[in-house]
Amino acid sequence: MLRRSDTWAGLLCLAIGLLTLWEANRYSIGTLGHMGPGFYPAVLGTLLAIVGALIVLTGGPAVDVDPLHAVPEGAEWRGRLCIIGGIVLFILLAENLGLIAATFACVFVAAMGDRKATIPASLALACAITVFGALLFRGLLGVNLPLWP
C-alpha cells in the first residue's frame, strides 16, 4: 500500500498539470522559435503532469510511524500569517514604492515566519533576493515595473 499523502499529492499535481495542458490548447502553441501564448502553459502543464505521475508511481510503502510525513500537532499560524502578509505587502507596495522595496518587504516578512529566523539572517536573505529579483526581472526579462518610486 502506498503512502496516502504521496498518492494524493501526486494525483493533485497530475490533475493540475492535465487541466493546465487542456486549457493551454485553447491558445496558439507556436514553435520554439516563435512561441505562442499557449506554449509556456503547455510545457508547464506537461512537466507538472509528469512529476505528479512519478510521485504516484514511486510513492513508498505506508508505515505506521513515518517521521518524515508526520503532521505537526498545532497549526503554525505565525508562518502562515507572515507568508500571506508578505504577499499582501508586495501587492500594496509594488506600484507605489517600486520592485526593490516591495520585494525586500515581502521576503523579510515571509522569512520572519520561521520561528528559528533571526533578524540579521532575514535581512541578509531579503537583500540577496531583492538584488537577484531586480537583476532578473528588470535586467534580463525586461519587466516594466519601476525599481523605485
Side-chain angles (χ1 to χ4, degrees), residues 37-59:
F39 187 85
Y40 182 72
V43 170
L44 187 64
T46 302
L47 291 175
L48 188 58
I50 290 170
V51 168
L54 289 174
I55 290 171
V56 170
L57 294 174
T58 60

Side-chain angles (χ1 to χ4, degrees), residues 63-78:
V63 293
D64 291 337
V65 178
D66 186 3
L68 294 177
H69 292 86
V71 177
E73 289 187 25
E76 291 291 328
W77 287 106
R78 176 182 172 164

Side-chain angles (χ1 to χ4, degrees), residues 11-127:
L11 289 173
L12 181 63
C13 288
L14 180 63
I16 292 172
L18 292 175
L19 286 172
T20 303
L21 184 59
W22 181 62
E23 187 67 26
N25 283 325
R26 294 181 51 208
Y27 300 100
S28 168
I29 302 290
T31 64
L32 277 176
H34 299 286
M35 294 182 231
F39 187 85
Y40 182 72
V43 170
L44 187 64
T46 302
L47 291 175
L48 188 58
I50 290 170
V51 168
L54 289 174
I55 290 171
V56 170
L57 294 174
T58 60
V63 293
D64 291 337
V65 178
D66 186 3
L68 294 177
H69 292 86
V71 177
E73 289 187 25
E76 291 291 328
W77 287 106
R78 176 182 172 164
R80 292 175 184 179
L81 292 175
C82 284
I83 290 171
I84 292 169
I87 294 169
V88 169
L89 270 175
F90 185 86
I91 292 168
L92 294 174
L93 298 177
E95 284 195 41
N96 298 323
L97 296 180
L99 181 64
I100 291 177
T103 303
F104 183 86
C106 175
V107 174
F108 180 75
V109 170
M112 291 306 295
D114 184 5
R115 292 195 187 280
K116 297 176 186 174
T118 63
I119 290 176
S122 297
L123 287 171
L125 177 65
C127 287

